Amino acid sequence: MAAGETAPRQGRMKQSVKMIVGNWKMNGLGADLATTVADLLHDLHLEPQQCRVGICPPATLIDRLARDVRTSHIEVGGQDCRVEAKGAFTGGVSAEMLVDAGARLVILGHSERRQEFGESDALVSDKVGAALRAGLTPIICVGETLAQREAGEAASVVRGQVLGSLNDDLAGKDWALAYEPVWAIGTGLTPTLEQISEIHAAARAAMIERLGDGGGAAPILYGGSVNPGNARDILAVDEVGGALVGGASLKAADFLAIIRAAQPASVAAG
Ligand code: PEP
């Protein structure tokens, strides 16, 4: 299978293989990485057909992490990329550079980038194209603010973000959507399971509206205050194909517990 093509494990609607991705944000120095990865690898018994696991550290740690996990099935990712492959963009990191450093995944359109850097759906869509050009698996983030939820606009906001942020090139490729309500990120608050189900269904409908059948295969991750206590229930919700995990991915024990919640019971117990 060529890089970037849809993996066979992503069956439409029934995604039995969950995808768990840690987003370290701007956290982690080399010493933290060594400890966390050693703890993780010591206790992780990961078979790729049972769970797909990724970690997206700061760009400075991608190369080291990729070396540290090379004998495991853990995939390494970036947290953003520029649209351009190279050029006079001081501080920028291209998708090709992420691949060169050892990344296979990239988070795009995270709400922190949408809010702090004014990233629009159109820019996110262009970044998706750049990620695919380089052979990366994009994880495209969408999600409503608290004001939008309180105004009853959550589903329509997510639909608009999906329609605007996806890219025609995604059809047949390996990618994921992440539904991350802005108000749930880093707050300890989560939507109810019914609310998660409702928005994931709306996101799926928008993905199919945008890409046709090609929008039916990619997993939809839930993100926002996932922790060892709520992961199992959230991951059991219809159309939840995995989790994007911020704070809890920084502690090996918590991240492991979430991975276990995503694995079949027989594996998780082992
Ligand atoms: C995130 O920022 O992608 C995230 C899900 O963060 P947290 O798990 O800390 O809410």
Side-chain angles (χ1 to χ4, degrees), residues 23 25 110 112 180 184-187 223-226 244-248:
N23 173 14
K25 311 193 187 191
H110 191 284
E112 287 156 11
E180 298 206 303
I185 294 178
T187 60
S225 296
V226 174
L244 184 54
V245 185

Side-chain angles (χ1 to χ4, degrees), residues 24 29-41 68 252:
W24 283 13
L29 300 173
D32 308 314
L33 180 82
T35 317
T36 308
V37 170
D39 290 351
L40 202 55
L41 294 181
D68 285 357

Side-chain angles (χ1 to χ4, degrees), residues 59 62-63 81-82 84-87 89 91-103 133-134 136:
I62 288 175
D63 175 64
C81 70
R82 280 199 66 98
E84 304 80 3
K86 61 180 180 177
F89 304 104
V93 176
S94 72
E96 283 76 4
M97 289 168 180
L98 293 178
V99 171
D100 190 47
R133 177 188 70 213
L136 287 167

Side-chain angles (χ1 to χ4, degrees), residues 226-252:
V226 174
N227 62 47
N230 61 23
R232 193 170 296 278
D233 287 343
I234 291 173
L235 289 166
V237 171
D238 200 31
E239 280 289 12
V240 173
L244 184 54
V245 185
S249 71
L250 294 169
K251 290 187 210 136

Side-chain angles (χ1 to χ4, degrees), residues 25-238:
K25 311 193 187 191
M26 201 176 74
N27 294 295
L29 300 173
D32 308 314
L33 180 82
T35 317
T36 308
V37 170
D39 290 351
L40 202 55
L41 294 181
H42 184 263
D43 289 330
L44 183 66
H45 307 287
L46 183 64
E47 297 297 337
Q49 67 273 22
Q50 290 153 350
C51 187
R52 187 175 179 187
V53 176
I55 299 177
C56 301
T60 48
L61 292 180
I62 288 175
D63 175 64
R64 262 178 281 184
L65 180 60
R67 288 171 201 266
D68 285 357
V69 301
R70 69 188 177 284
T71 55
S72 77
H73 294 286
I74 296 175
E75 296 172 62
V76 179
Q79 300 173 9
D80 177 47
C81 70
R82 280 199 66 98
V83 174
E84 304 80 3
K86 61 180 180 177
F89 304 104
T90 302
V93 176
S94 72
E96 283 76 4
M97 289 168 180
L98 293 178
V99 171
D100 190 47
R104 289 192 53 191
L105 315 171
V106 63
I107 298 169
L108 294 174
H110 191 284
S111 63
E112 287 156 11
R113 294 207 60 90
R114 288 178 184 265
Q115 289 188 326
E116 288 200 28
F117 301 96
E119 293 197 0
S120 64
D121 291 337
L123 179 61
V124 174
S125 172
D126 287 346
K127 290 187 175 195
V128 169
L132 295 173
R133 177 188 70 213
L136 287 167
T137 293
I139 301 169
I140 306 160
C141 301
V142 298
E144 83 284 0
T145 63
L146 185 58
Q148 289 166 332
R149 172 156 288 275
E150 287 176 346
E153 296 167 355
S156 62
V157 166
V158 166
R159 174 177 175 271
Q161 289 176 329
V162 169
L163 295 181
S165 304
L166 302 196
N167 181 308
D168 288 342
D169 300 341
L170 286 167
K173 296 285 170 44
D174 186 35
W175 64 284
L177 192 86
Y179 167 55
E180 298 206 303
V182 178
W183 52 273
I185 294 178
T187 60
L189 303 172
T190 53
T192 64
L193 300 180
E194 290 71 25
Q195 288 170 330
I196 293 174
S197 175
E198 179 203 341
I199 302 299
H200 278 235
R204 175 66 70 200
M207 289 157 72
I208 292 171
E209 181 181 346
R210 178 66 180 78
L211 295 175
D213 281 351
I220 307 174
L221 316 186
Y222 168 78
S225 296
V226 174
N227 62 47
N230 61 23
R232 193 170 296 278
D233 287 343
I234 291 173
L235 289 166
V237 171
D238 200 31

